[in-house]
Amino acid sequence: MKIAVVLLTWQRINNLKTTLNSLSRQTHKDFFVYISNANKEKARSVEKYVSYFRENKNLNVKVSHDSNDKFAFRRLDIGEKLAKQGVDVILFIDDDVTIPDNYIKQFLENYESNTYSSAFAWSFQDGGSDYYKKRTRVTDLKEKVNYCGTAVSMIDASIFLNKDIHKAPEEMYVVEDLWLSYYAQQILNWKLKYVYIPGIRIKGGDAVALYRKVANSEKNKADLLRILVNDYGWKL
């Protein structure tokens, strides 16, 4: 299988070196890293980090400097691009995540086709009527999963070759994790899965996370979830 680790950068460039270092130590070596940087002012810093890890750590890294117009939804566009290039499996990680040395190995041991899995997965209660207060983190491997966050996740890349997945309403651009979970589960009848991987660390926190842009707005994340439930028929 051809494996890609996709990493988006925007506001947390300072954490990139630590994240790349954890990727360079992976026991499973047959993968490449694809960085999409949406912070044009930091392009030189990103290129500097990439050059260092290419030359000194033998890390296979590709980088593009992209518009942030579609926010986190650009993950789906990158997924389509890589799937068309023959990538079979995509592992998404955030730019403030550090991972254990056997992270990729452990994830791949749990790979299933037609599956979207995450080490941070939640199921929603009350149909998402209060996302922040009533979400329940899944910790049992046998428990049903309704939602996978993209921060540390793995997915069969073929999902991005479905044209309709790219036709999400614009309000979903900042919550691509909800849209991706909805599309995989409700439209394609794919499996959503929790994978237990100890040793993952989140360094930067979510103070600049994209969903903060909508958390207190008229259409906050809970409202966007209700759109998927009420208007799109997501069966949670």
Side-chain angles (χ1 to χ4, degrees), residues 141-164:
L141 300 182
K142 297 180 181 179
E143 192 171 355
K144 180 177 175 60
V145 176
N146 295 116
Y147 158 79
C148 285
T150 46
V152 280
S153 63
M154 175 176 64
I155 195 165
D156 179 340
S158 69
I159 194 171
F160 301 112
L161 299 178
N162 292 276
K163 294 300 181 184
D164 287 346

PDB file of all heavy atoms in Angstrom, residues 141-164:
ATOM      1  N   LEU A 141     -13.098  -0.413  22.038  1.00  0.00           N
ATOM      2  CA  LEU A 141     -12.896  -0.752  20.630  1.00  0.00           C
ATOM      3  C   LEU A 141     -14.144  -1.349  19.990  1.00  0.00           C
ATOM      4  O   LEU A 141     -14.275  -1.338  18.765  1.00  0.00           O
ATOM      5  CB  LEU A 141     -11.732  -1.735  20.493  1.00  0.00           C
ATOM      6  CG  LEU A 141     -10.373  -1.258  21.002  1.00  0.00           C
ATOM      7  CD1 LEU A 141      -9.314  -2.320  20.750  1.00  0.00           C
ATOM      8  CD2 LEU A 141      -9.957   0.049  20.344  1.00  0.00           C
ATOM      9  N   LYS A 142     -15.062  -1.856  20.805  1.00  0.00           N
ATOM     10  CA  LYS A 142     -16.274  -2.472  20.269  1.00  0.00           C
ATOM     11  C   LYS A 142     -17.443  -1.493  20.213  1.00  0.00           C
ATOM     12  O   LYS A 142     -18.505  -1.822  19.695  1.00  0.00           O
ATOM     13  CB  LYS A 142     -16.664  -3.688  21.126  1.00  0.00           C
ATOM     14  CG  LYS A 142     -15.626  -4.803  21.113  1.00  0.00           C
ATOM     15  CD  LYS A 142     -16.070  -5.969  21.990  1.00  0.00           C
ATOM     16  CE  LYS A 142     -15.023  -7.073  21.995  1.00  0.00           C
ATOM     17  NZ  LYS A 142     -15.437  -8.209  22.861  1.00  0.00           N
ATOM     18  N   GLU A 143     -17.244  -0.312  20.752  1.00  0.00           N
ATOM     19  CA  GLU A 143     -18.338   0.659  20.832  1.00  0.00           C
ATOM     20  C   GLU A 143     -18.583   1.311  19.475  1.00  0.00           C
ATOM     21  O   GLU A 143     -17.654   1.576  18.715  1.00  0.00           O
ATOM     22  CB  GLU A 143     -17.989   1.726  21.871  1.00  0.00           C
ATOM     23  CG  GLU A 143     -19.141   2.618  22.264  1.00  0.00           C
ATOM     24  CD  GLU A 143     -18.792   3.504  23.451  1.00  0.00           C
ATOM     25  OE1 GLU A 143     -17.686   3.338  24.011  1.00  0.00           O
ATOM     26  OE2 GLU A 143     -19.627   4.345  23.812  1.00  0.00           O
ATOM     27  N   LYS A 144     -19.841   1.587  19.182  1.00  0.00           N
ATOM     28  CA  LYS A 144     -20.192   2.216  17.918  1.00  0.00           C
ATOM     29  C   LYS A 144     -19.649   3.642  17.881  1.00  0.00           C
ATOM     30  O   LYS A 144     -19.760   4.386  18.847  1.00  0.00           O
ATOM     31  CB  LYS A 144     -21.706   2.251  17.735  1.00  0.00           C
ATOM     32  CG  LYS A 144     -22.156   2.907  16.432  1.00  0.00           C
ATOM     33  CD  LYS A 144     -23.669   2.834  16.295  1.00  0.00           C
ATOM     34  CE  LYS A 144     -24.148   3.591  15.058  1.00  0.00           C
ATOM     35  NZ  LYS A 144     -23.578   3.069  13.807  1.00  0.00           N
ATOM     36  N   VAL A 145     -19.051   4.018  16.776  1.00  0.00           N
ATOM     37  CA  VAL A 145     -18.491   5.352  16.582  1.00  0.00           C
ATOM     38  C   VAL A 145     -19.339   6.103  15.566  1.00  0.00           C
ATOM     39  O   VAL A 145     -19.609   5.593  14.484  1.00  0.00           O
ATOM     40  CB  VAL A 145     -17.024   5.267  16.096  1.00  0.00           C
ATOM     41  CG1 VAL A 145     -16.473   6.653  15.809  1.00  0.00           C
ATOM     42  CG2 VAL A 145     -16.162   4.542  17.119  1.00  0.00           C
ATOM     43  N   ASN A 146     -19.744   7.329  15.922  1.00  0.00           N
ATOM     44  CA  ASN A 146     -20.527   8.157  15.014  1.00  0.00           C
ATOM     45  C   ASN A 146     -19.726   9.297  14.402  1.00  0.00           C
ATOM     46  O   ASN A 146     -20.195   9.957  13.480  1.00  0.00           O
ATOM     47  CB  ASN A 146     -21.732   8.755  15.740  1.00  0.00           C
ATOM     48  CG  ASN A 146     -22.712   7.684  16.188  1.00  0.00           C
ATOM     49  OD1 ASN A 146     -22.921   7.498  17.378  1.00  0.00           O
ATOM     50  ND2 ASN A 146     -23.308   6.979  15.253  1.00  0.00           N
ATOM     51  N   TYR A 147     -18.589   9.567  14.977  1.00  0.00           N
ATOM     52  CA  TYR A 147     -17.808  10.728  14.524  1.00  0.00           C
ATOM     53  C   TYR A 147     -16.330  10.485  14.765  1.00  0.00           C
ATOM     54  O   TYR A 147     -15.948  10.014  15.838  1.00  0.00           O
ATOM     55  CB  TYR A 147     -18.265  11.975  15.281  1.00  0.00           C
ATOM     56  CG  TYR A 147     -17.256  13.099  15.311  1.00  0.00           C
ATOM     57  CD1 TYR A 147     -17.083  13.934  14.213  1.00  0.00           C
ATOM     58  CD2 TYR A 147     -16.462  13.322  16.436  1.00  0.00           C
ATOM     59  CE1 TYR A 147     -16.151  14.962  14.238  1.00  0.00           C
ATOM     60  CE2 TYR A 147     -15.539  14.345  16.477  1.00  0.00           C
ATOM     61  CZ  TYR A 147     -15.386  15.169  15.375  1.00  0.00           C
ATOM     62  OH  TYR A 147     -14.462  16.180  15.396  1.00  0.00           O
ATOM     63  N   CYS A 148     -15.496  10.784  13.777  1.00  0.00           N
ATOM     64  CA  CYS A 148     -14.044  10.711  13.921  1.00  0.00           C
ATOM     65  C   CYS A 148     -13.446  12.094  13.698  1.00  0.00           C
ATOM     66  O   CYS A 148     -13.739  12.738  12.690  1.00  0.00           O
ATOM     67  CB  CYS A 148     -13.443   9.730  12.918  1.00  0.00           C
ATOM     68  SG  CYS A 148     -13.689   7.995  13.310  1.00  0.00           S
ATOM     69  N   GLY A 149     -12.627  12.529  14.628  1.00  0.00           N
ATOM     70  CA  GLY A 149     -11.884  13.767  14.423  1.00  0.00           C
ATOM     71  C   GLY A 149     -10.687  13.510  13.542  1.00  0.00           C
ATOM     72  O   GLY A 149     -10.111  12.423  13.555  1.00  0.00           O
ATOM     73  N   THR A 150     -10.288  14.522  12.773  1.00  0.00           N
ATOM     74  CA  THR A 150      -9.182  14.337  11.828  1.00  0.00           C
ATOM     75  C   THR A 150      -7.807  14.527  12.464  1.00  0.00           C
ATOM     76  O   THR A 150      -6.800  14.248  11.818  1.00  0.00           O
ATOM     77  CB  THR A 150      -9.317  15.314  10.640  1.00  0.00           C
ATOM     78  OG1 THR A 150      -9.627  16.619  11.136  1.00  0.00           O
ATOM     79  CG2 THR A 150     -10.405  14.873   9.689  1.00  0.00           C
ATOM     80  N   ALA A 151      -7.740  14.990  13.706  1.00  0.00           N
ATOM     81  CA  ALA A 151      -6.452  15.345  14.309  1.00  0.00           C
ATOM     82  C   ALA A 151      -5.442  14.215  14.260  1.00  0.00           C
ATOM     83  O   ALA A 151      -4.259  14.432  13.987  1.00  0.00           O
ATOM     84  CB  ALA A 151      -6.656  15.799  15.753  1.00  0.00           C
ATOM     85  N   VAL A 152      -5.881  13.002  14.541  1.00  0.00           N
ATOM     86  CA  VAL A 152      -5.039  11.807  14.438  1.00  0.00           C
ATOM     87  C   VAL A 152      -5.918  10.705  13.863  1.00  0.00           C
ATOM     88  O   VAL A 152      -6.561   9.971  14.599  1.00  0.00           O
ATOM     89  CB  VAL A 152      -4.426  11.402  15.798  1.00  0.00           C
ATOM     90  CG1 VAL A 152      -3.226  12.253  16.133  1.00  0.00           C
ATOM     91  CG2 VAL A 152      -5.436  11.476  16.927  1.00  0.00           C
ATOM     92  N   SER A 153      -5.939  10.589  12.565  1.00  0.00           N
ATOM     93  CA  SER A 153      -6.902   9.691  11.926  1.00  0.00           C
ATOM     94  C   SER A 153      -6.298   8.984  10.720  1.00  0.00           C
ATOM     95  O   SER A 153      -5.228   9.362  10.226  1.00  0.00           O
ATOM     96  CB  SER A 153      -8.149  10.478  11.491  1.00  0.00           C
ATOM     97  OG  SER A 153      -7.817  11.459  10.525  1.00  0.00           O
ATOM     98  N   MET A 154      -6.999   7.961  10.258  1.00  0.00           N
ATOM     99  CA  MET A 154      -6.583   7.178   9.094  1.00  0.00           C
ATOM    100  C   MET A 154      -7.817   6.879   8.259  1.00  0.00           C
ATOM    101  O   MET A 154      -8.883   6.573   8.794  1.00  0.00           O
ATOM    102  CB  MET A 154      -5.932   5.873   9.550  1.00  0.00           C
ATOM    103  CG  MET A 154      -5.570   4.912   8.417  1.00  0.00           C
ATOM    104  SD  MET A 154      -4.679   3.428   9.026  1.00  0.00           S
ATOM    105  CE  MET A 154      -5.944   2.674  10.072  1.00  0.00           C
ATOM    106  N   ILE A 155      -7.672   6.947   6.937  1.00  0.00           N
ATOM    107  CA  ILE A 155      -8.823   6.710   6.077  1.00  0.00           C
ATOM    108  C   ILE A 155      -8.393   6.079   4.760  1.00  0.00           C
ATOM    109  O   ILE A 155      -7.287   6.338   4.255  1.00  0.00           O
ATOM    110  CB  ILE A 155      -9.589   8.035   5.815  1.00  0.00           C
ATOM    111  CG1 ILE A 155     -10.978   7.759   5.231  1.00  0.00           C
ATOM    112  CG2 ILE A 155      -8.783   8.991   4.961  1.00  0.00           C
ATOM    113  CD1 ILE A 155     -11.912   8.953   5.288  1.00  0.00           C
ATOM    114  N   ASP A 156      -9.244   5.242   4.246  1.00  0.00           N
ATOM    115  CA  ASP A 156      -9.097   4.678   2.901  1.00  0.00           C
ATOM    116  C   ASP A 156      -9.203   5.847   1.924  1.00  0.00           C
ATOM    117  O   ASP A 156     -10.241   6.506   1.834  1.00  0.00           O
ATOM    118  CB  ASP A 156     -10.218   3.662   2.682  1.00  0.00           C
ATOM    119  CG  ASP A 156     -10.207   3.021   1.308  1.00  0.00           C
ATOM    120  OD1 ASP A 156      -9.608   3.580   0.379  1.00  0.00           O
ATOM    121  OD2 ASP A 156     -10.863   1.967   1.150  1.00  0.00           O
ATOM    122  N   ALA A 157      -8.118   6.120   1.192  1.00  0.00           N
ATOM    123  CA  ALA A 157      -8.051   7.322   0.353  1.00  0.00           C
ATOM    124  C   ALA A 157      -9.065   7.328  -0.779  1.00  0.00           C
ATOM    125  O   ALA A 157      -9.350   8.388  -1.348  1.00  0.00           O
ATOM    126  CB  ALA A 157      -6.639   7.476  -0.210  1.00  0.00           C
ATOM    127  N   SER A 158      -9.638   6.179  -1.106  1.00  0.00           N
ATOM    128  CA  SER A 158     -10.591   6.125  -2.212  1.00  0.00           C
ATOM    129  C   SER A 158     -11.835   6.965  -1.948  1.00  0.00           C
ATOM    130  O   SER A 158     -12.554   7.330  -2.881  1.00  0.00           O
ATOM    131  CB  SER A 158     -10.990   4.678  -2.506  1.00  0.00           C
ATOM    132  OG  SER A 158     -11.769   4.130  -1.457  1.00  0.00           O
ATOM    133  N   ILE A 159     -12.091   7.302  -0.687  1.00  0.00           N
ATOM    134  CA  ILE A 159     -13.272   8.099  -0.378  1.00  0.00           C
ATOM    135  C   ILE A 159     -13.243   9.447  -1.085  1.00  0.00           C
ATOM    136  O   ILE A 159     -14.279  10.003  -1.464  1.00  0.00           O
ATOM    137  CB  ILE A 159     -13.430   8.303   1.146  1.00  0.00           C
ATOM    138  CG1 ILE A 159     -14.835   8.834   1.474  1.00  0.00           C
ATOM    139  CG2 ILE A 159     -12.348   9.213   1.709  1.00  0.00           C
ATOM    140  CD1 ILE A 159     -15.150   8.851   2.962  1.00  0.00           C
ATOM    141  N   PHE A 160     -12.040   9.975  -1.305  1.00  0.00           N
ATOM    142  CA  PHE A 160     -11.911  11.310  -1.877  1.00  0.00           C
ATOM    143  C   PHE A 160     -12.114  11.331  -3.382  1.00  0.00           C
ATOM    144  O   PHE A 160     -12.151  12.401  -3.992  1.00  0.00           O
ATOM    145  CB  PHE A 160     -10.556  11.906  -1.500  1.00  0.00           C
ATOM    146  CG  PHE A 160     -10.361  11.999  -0.010  1.00  0.00           C
ATOM    147  CD1 PHE A 160      -9.421  11.212   0.630  1.00  0.00           C
ATOM    148  CD2 PHE A 160     -11.141  12.850   0.750  1.00  0.00           C
ATOM    149  CE1 PHE A 160      -9.245  11.279   2.005  1.00  0.00           C
ATOM    150  CE2 PHE A 160     -10.981  12.930   2.126  1.00  0.00           C
ATOM    151  CZ  PHE A 160     -10.028  12.139   2.759  1.00  0.00           C
ATOM    152  N   LEU A 161     -12.260  10.165  -3.994  1.00  0.00           N
ATOM    153  CA  LEU A 161     -12.547  10.089  -5.424  1.00  0.00           C
ATOM    154  C   LEU A 161     -14.047  10.189  -5.700  1.00  0.00           C
ATOM    155  O   LEU A 161     -14.459  10.256  -6.859  1.00  0.00           O
ATOM    156  CB  LEU A 161     -11.988   8.795  -6.004  1.00  0.00           C
ATOM    157  CG  LEU A 161     -10.466   8.636  -5.891  1.00  0.00           C
ATOM    158  CD1 LEU A 161     -10.024   7.290  -6.452  1.00  0.00           C
ATOM    159  CD2 LEU A 161      -9.736   9.776  -6.601  1.00  0.00           C
ATOM    160  N   ASN A 162     -14.852  10.212  -4.636  1.00  0.00           N
ATOM    161  CA  ASN A 162     -16.288  10.445  -4.782  1.00  0.00           C
ATOM    162  C   ASN A 162     -16.518  11.947  -4.956  1.00  0.00           C
ATOM    163  O   ASN A 162     -16.235  12.736  -4.048  1.00  0.00           O
ATOM    164  CB  ASN A 162     -17.042   9.951  -3.551  1.00  0.00           C
ATOM    165  CG  ASN A 162     -17.017   8.449  -3.412  1.00  0.00           C
ATOM    166  OD1 ASN A 162     -17.817   7.747  -4.006  1.00  0.00           O
ATOM    167  ND2 ASN A 162     -16.066   7.940  -2.625  1.00  0.00           N
ATOM    168  N   LYS A 163     -17.033  12.344  -6.097  1.00  0.00           N
ATOM    169  CA  LYS A 163     -17.169  13.765  -6.409  1.00  0.00           C
ATOM    170  C   LYS A 163     -18.087  14.493  -5.436  1.00  0.00           C
ATOM    171  O   LYS A 163     -17.862  15.654  -5.080  1.00  0.00           O
ATOM    172  CB  LYS A 163     -17.670  13.956  -7.843  1.00  0.00           C
ATOM    173  CG  LYS A 163     -16.682  13.486  -8.900  1.00  0.00           C
ATOM    174  CD  LYS A 163     -15.369  14.251  -8.808  1.00  0.00           C
ATOM    175  CE  LYS A 163     -14.382  13.803  -9.884  1.00  0.00           C
ATOM    176  NZ  LYS A 163     -13.072  14.490  -9.728  1.00  0.00           N
ATOM    177  N   ASP A 164     -19.137  13.820  -4.965  1.00  0.00           N
ATOM    178  CA  ASP A 164     -20.109  14.494  -4.107  1.00  0.00           C
ATOM    179  C   ASP A 164     -19.536  14.879  -2.748  1.00  0.00           C
ATOM    180  O   ASP A 164     -20.069  15.777  -2.091  1.00  0.00           O
ATOM    181  CB  ASP A 164     -21.339  13.606  -3.913  1.00  0.00           C
ATOM    182  CG  ASP A 164     -22.215  13.535  -5.155  1.00  0.00           C
ATOM    183  OD1 ASP A 164     -22.020  14.376  -6.062  1.00  0.00           O
ATOM    184  OD2 ASP A 164     -23.076  12.646  -5.222  1.00  0.00           O
TER     185      ASP A 164
END
